Amino acid sequence: MAMAIRVSLLFFLFLSSSLLVFSLYEDQAGLADWHQQYLGKVKQAVFHTPKAGRKRLVVSTEESVIASLDLRRGEIYVITLSSKGSIIRAWNLPDGQMVWESFLVGKKLSESSLLTVTDLKVERDNLILVYSNDCLHAISSVDGAVLWNIELKSVELQQLIKPVSGDVMYAVGISGSSKLHAYRFNIKTGELLNQDVVDFPGGLSGEISLVSSEILVALDASRTELVLISLKDGKISFQKTNIHDLVPQFSGEAALLPVNLEGIFAVKSNSYIVFLRVNDQSKLEVVDKIEDSSAVSGALSFKEDQLAFGIVQQGGSQIHLTVKLGSDYSTDILKESIQIDPNRGTVQKVFINNYIRADRSYGFRALVVMEDHSVSLLQQGNIVWSREDGLASIVDVTTSELPLEKKGVSVAKVEQGLLEWLKGHMLKLKGTLMLASAEDMVSIQALRLQSSEKSKLTRDHNGFRKLLIVLTKSGKVYALHTGDGRVVWSTFLPNLRKSDTCENPVALNLYQWQVPHHHAMDENPAVLVVGRCGNGIDAPGILSIVDTYSGKELSSLSLTHSVVDVIPLPFADSTEKRLHLIVDVDRNLHLYPKTPEAAVIFEREYINVYWYSVDAENNMLRGHGLKSKCMSEIADEFCFSSRDLWSIVFPSDSEKIIATVARKASEVVHTQAKVMADRNVLFKYISKNLLFVATVAPKGAGEIGSVTPDESWLVVYLIDTVTGRILHRVTHHGSQGPVRAVFSENWVVYHYFNLRANRYEISVIEIYDQSRADIKNVWKLILGKHNLTSPVSSYSRPEIMTKSQTYFFTHSVKTVSVTLTAKGITAKQLLIGTVGDQVLALDKRFLDPRRSAKPTPTELEDGIIPLTDALPINPQSYVTHALKVEGLRGIISVPAKLESTTLVFAYGADLYLTRLAPSKTYDSLTDEFSYALLLLTIVVLVAAIFVTWIMSERKDLRDKWR
């Protein structure tokens, strides 16, 4: 019998090792992660359509992205992020490689502009003229060398004008608000030929458009008068005309559109776009006026000495594209109507391009940028492709559970599923034993994608399928499926769109509004969208309630008060609507939802509501509590006034607040006790009222390296926000920000720069509660022989102990987060967004403050890792693998129902989602587990046991006959 067991074990080990050796990883791509690339709102677009070769569309966006798109499908070829500052770069169009880079030096930061004097050919004489840092620079198009530069003191350059012939160039700018400057240069040498300055009474708005080589147009400071500027030999003359004299129906403030047509320019107001012409007598006359829901393209050269431009007008679900001849406004070259999704809003910009049809006539295509930041390519009356590039500007993320799967499955589906199940496992078995052909491997991958059921719109038992509800800068809300990243629904909220009542809406945050369960299962979950009508902190607020299953806006409200902060309360009414307090600029609090039931629930917890505010400008922290109902002319039972409980003012001559971080209210802590290897117990000091604050020396608030180590220091605080008590304070001399930090359970990790060591560092602080230090071992904890008389309250002076440690870190960090799981049992990992736009998962054990160079056997038993001066960076620890999340801004962790697993979502210009198991999948079998192989192994083991048992019996019988 012993022999049978040995043989069975050997066979089982052989099968197990075979499974590991022959496992495949390439075919797992896309099963548990997805990556999507977006661009952001397009600012400029250039069509590159040579007669031979690949046709491209090169765009630059508000997210600092430069991209080359496939003109047929809209797929991205190359993306590169351009840094802010005075840098000019040239890129190779086919592959996006940088050809050269030049740094433009100047004394003062200013708005920049760029002009290519001639077509970019590989000749040193062809110049690129750039205005930056109060200087005009001439740069070689071949190698980026700065050939000459001229300082323009305190002048904001508006236009660079190259005359039709000769080497003379005009530069026009504004200083202050009323002085108009004109400079006349030699392009090749940079020699200043002459200059003229004219003081314009009443001032200018700062916008100047080019009408011809010697005529420009501007708006006065009130934006109600047009100023026609004439340049002859560098001398300035001007005349002004009231817009109402030209267009009596004109209303509001005017803005100039960059049409760049010879003799024609366009002015936009609240109601109209008006085209005007400069006639032979240098007078202005109206050419045409169209409704404001339109966009006008720049001029396009499509024939010899022929210019065209496009006009897009919108009406309902249709947009009308008209291409006109530049020299004859009355001539329409093209007129088309295209059906478009009204959920995209209105057209914001349009860029046109021409092509030659099969009959040798000229056709036109147009790229339109919509209000929700999406882009579409229009051609021959159809939408060729569309891109949801608003997803590149996510401002907040939350999650929603999917609906439950309905019961009841047909017999045919079961039979089909059984056949597919057998077929799939036979194919997997062939793949495991390396017997599968290339076609079989393709079938295996397809079956895996199909059997994963990751894209179903119902809940799964592991909690991997969810909806990511994201709010974008444009005010559009999207629901993304965690399975494959597709857009399930999108809603462009009406009250977050620009309108006559709200000129500048701003999207702020998302909050869980209704999370139905138990007795409220008939209700759909909903989210609260918070916005503001204006950029100022005192602007009135905007609220919207959105159903997360359908995307339907259930209700909306334009508030009469501002929104400074939103405090989600841990209470819900009978329909599972969560209570929220909205803090306005006067520190009054407004309760939502405004229902009698919510008021009754809130009044029971009235005295237990505290919050804090951070005034970084005045270097101050304040703690607040509720006082009474608001005292106003109109009685409001849902409005409450506040009182200041405490304040901390940091000395402005030595400290400046640069970062604050608090614990996530949704974080689950499994246990307060931490059992050591020597059987002692440490109790974590867990409080949702703790705040991490980082301050630096005022001189050290600038860029890294701007001060010496002796002039800079970093001070971090742990502060109780209920009492204002400083629980811990530590100073890092010779250190500087920026500080990236994350607070979880009883520890905080923060990243900064050490000027003395000239390296980045990560520090960790762990806090423990000493009031329960009499509990010496785990047996007292289990048997209940411990002291629970000490109240857990912010008002009882805590007896705390801190442990801290500092490590060198090789990367600059953009953002940092931590993994969250359903019960908080699984080990934590830090999610670090690196400067290379990747996400690194670092085990929290590497940041244990108890690490030492020579840990004792007891510490080794407790899992303490020997101390090294730097934190290890394992290439396999990158969550994003070889991919990048360009423009990475945030990382969130979403717990699954499976305790071992969390979903990690990283967003920036790109989006990336994956599953992460910090302690491995200890509570489940992987998707790659072969049940067929397990069944085969069991059958073989049983057969082996039976055969060896018979052999053993025969051997015993032979031994007895001897």
Side-chain angles (χ1 to χ4, degrees), residues 664 666-668 743-745 817-824 826-829 831 892-896 898-904 916 918:
K664 283 192 174 182
S666 59
E667 183 182 23
V668 177
F743 208 140
S744 176
E745 293 192 353
S817 183
V818 66
T819 55
L820 302 176
T821 53
K823 303 297 182 183
T826 304
K828 301 282 187 180
Q829 283 188 335
L831 302 172
I892 68 166
S893 176
V894 182
L898 205 63
E899 169 57 27
S900 66
T901 310
T902 182
L903 304 179
V904 175
L916 201 62

Side-chain angles (χ1 to χ4, degrees), residues 821-843:
T821 53
K823 303 297 182 183
I825 301 172
T826 304
K828 301 282 187 180
Q829 283 188 335
L830 290 175
L831 302 172
I832 300 172
T834 67
V835 72
D837 290 330
Q838 290 186 295
V839 179
L840 174 70
L842 182 64
D843 198 317

Side-chain angles (χ1 to χ4, degrees), residues 211-255:
V211 179
S212 67
S213 60
E214 293 185 339
I215 298 177
L216 300 97
V217 66
L219 289 167
D220 71 339
S222 66
R223 294 181 177 272
T224 58
E225 289 188 325
L226 289 169
V227 182
L228 207 60
I229 303 167
S230 176
L231 294 177
K232 288 189 178 179
D233 298 326
K235 297 294 182 182
I236 302 173
S237 61
F238 60 84
Q239 62 180 15
K240 56 183 181 179
T241 305
N242 196 300
I243 301 177
H244 288 281
D245 295 341
L246 298 169
V247 186
Q249 303 91 346
F250 210 87
S251 62
E253 294 183 347

Side-chain angles (χ1 to χ4, degrees), residues 94 431 464 564:
F464 295 156
V564 175

Side-chain angles (χ1 to χ4, degrees), residues 19 22-28 431 441 448 928:
L19 183 62
F22 300 134
S23 59
L24 298 174
Y25 296 96
E26 290 82 1
D27 61 352
Q28 295 176 357
M441 294 305 298
R448 281 174 176 166
E928 302 306 308

